[in-house]
Amino acid sequence: MKQNKREHLSLLYDVSELSALVSDSKDIDAFLQQVVQSVASHLHADVGSIYLLDDNSGELVLKATQGLNPTSVDRIRMRIGEGLVGVTMARMEPLCDGAACDNPNFKFFEEAHEEPYTSFLSVPIHRGIEKIGVLVVQHRQPDYFDDADVMALRAIAAQLAGIVANVKLMIGLRKPAKTAWPQTLPGELRFIKGKASAAGFALAPAMALKHGDPLMGDAPDDTFQSSAQGYRQSLQATIGQLKQLQEQLVLRLPESAALIFDAHYMILKDPRFDRQILDLIGQGLHAATAVRQVARQFITLFEDNANPYIREKSQDIEDLARRILFNLRKEKGEGRSPMDGHIVIASQLYPSDVLKLASENVAGIILVNGGTTSHVAIMARSLQIPMIICQRGELLQLPADTQILMDADLGNIYLDPSEQVRRQFAERNRVREQTAGEAVRMQPQTFTADGTRVHLLANINLLSELTVAQDLKAEGVGLYRSEFPFIVRSVLPSEEEQRLVYERLFKQMADRPVCVRTLDIGGEKVLPYLNLPQEANPELGLRSIRFLLKHRDVFDQQLRAILRAGAHSEQLSIMFPMISSLDEFEAARQAVDEAIADLSRERLEHHPKPAIGTMIEMPSVLAIIDELATAADFFAIGTNDFIQYMLAVDRGNESVAGYYQPFHPAILRALARIVEAADRYAKPLSVCGETAHDPEFLPFLIGIGVRRLSADPIFLPLVQRTVGAIDLDRARSYAQELLAAATLRQVETARAKWQPLFRPQA
Ligand code: PEP
Ligand code: MG
């Protein structure tokens, strides 16, 4: 008998009851079991199952079932896209099939005893774009489930999402770390190849940022002090350390005037936190257990919050608890924080997280599981923290303090390195330091081998990089990424605060040109405090200039701050990111005109007429390049995004990295066309994406006529050396040959022939 709508409604009610159960329940498995039982019984299904996404392995794991073989729990695993369950998660939509065994995506698991169940209905469990798991019901009778069932199960999944996300969190917190890593690592686990993202070397103990780390879960309690007094002391020590970290951060990063550790302070100020811990200790609980228990309660509370900014702060609670526990240890050991001097392994980081890590003196960062990372890498480079990205989620399970040697010049990771590897590392490090010394001997001007002048400018993300840019004789700032002062704060900086930041920028660069790019947020560069709705496809969403044109107040404030700060700057230029049409460019330019008019009316000192340019990052501008060259005062090609959008390949997604081809014929021809248009209209043009410092790409850029390059300051010596070895006539012929090539293969052949001719002498 099929259920009716009424029963669906009563099911919703029952499930909401379960939310109370989860907070009381100590046994998560029992909770999940109850969920699947109630779902199956209300939908009159023979089978009810729940799969949760394991963030470490990226697999969907069967966590509870009513109807399938119970011993298959935890054993049936599918990757996203694999089997009907994996397809549901991949598509993020319900899947209803009345004859599931015939479905080409059906995956047979012998141990599940699933054969008799012909009808299959699954829905994804998700919160916004966060994937949590899949809920499944099955029935013996073919074509059993109908549209009403789909709707009902979907509603249940939506209702369950928050609770189940917390269950996932609790599983992570309670479960002892997996012992996937043997105590002594066999040879094949000792070397991992990743992608070099921020250069440098580090030899240091590992610290994985994950739930269930040694401080939060595994360590036997007798390593900690147990008393209330011990707890109070560790709390005071933690408060002192946080204060110190904040002070150091402000010195190192003048942009970060606001509190980076605001959530930590918020919790420390909450009397419930301290009181509950002391109460529990008073009742006889060990201090470490009390800290963990109360922290978990707070984490659950934050995780349940509707505001994603607050939800994200749950990580900060764990971090705070970890710090208190670190100070509660009987044997104090090394370092002033759990991360101090460690190589941190994490599965996801935002640019602002990198700031926190920098303030803790981490030795390096290894990011596992891909994800969007390009600006995290930019941030790591700005802060000179070596960083490698790799696809090895199991690194998160590495025993704490395993020695790691990371060579982030090459992307090599050595776990528990042998004496010989260590010796090689020391030698390479010595040579590297020597050559770094040589590199600093920069010439103030840069020429090709035959004497053609090429201007080298700096990309600046953080004000602290200006000194490096000056030391390395940058001729100006070709790209100031103005979003970083916004990223490091916890509220939007005011016009006045922004003005102070830009003033430092102009003052330090004195009479040299400075090009400020207006706010380029969105995509990976999130400002959580804006609490914007989540987008399924943020790289194609309301980002960058689109965001500014929609939020004119934010745009106007920034423009006013730039114009006021640059009042006396002789060579101020402003450019807009992600321009996709002439109309957009004109609208943005008009905003500048209006800001100037307003400032004049208000009699506030300001720059009267900055050069206004556009970044070239979108394929659409190719079709209107002539008109754009007429309208804009200059072009800056952002090859990072240009390649991403031309080839429709996420620049931060490791799994499609193979498609990210700067040497794709379409990219080469498009670049040549843009440069040619800029020349024809006598408009200055620069390249400021990563290709501007790529020794392999530079001969082509020079060959098509690029004469202004803007790169991260640390790359300037390399760029000067590379340009110095390029003969212009030769570069032109090489570029012509590449432009004639229609396939990647032909490009490869031409490169193989020409590249050795452009290599600087060692
Ligand atoms: C680019 O897209 O090439 C660029 C310079 O901008 P960003 O890397 O900040 O997106
Ligand atoms: Mg860009």
Side-chain angles (χ1 to χ4, degrees), residues 375 378 479 481 483 517 520 525 539 543-544 577-578 615-617 637-642 644-645 651 688-689:
H375 288 87
I378 288 172
L479 164 65
R481 286 189 170 99
E483 50 277 10
R517 176 175 76 183
D520 185 19
K525 291 179 276 189
E539 290 294 323
R543 52 169 303 196
S544 216
M578 310 273 309
M615 291 205 65
I616 302 286
E617 296 179 295
I637 309 181
T639 47
N640 304 340
D641 276 316
F642 189 66
Q644 158 165 271
Y645 292 117
R651 64 194 254 196
C688 58

Side-chain angles (χ1 to χ4, degrees), residues 391-403:
Q391 297 289 352
R392 301 290 294 264
E394 67 270 33
L395 274 177
L396 287 167
Q397 310 299 340
L398 198 65
D401 291 334
T402 304
Q403 283 291 316

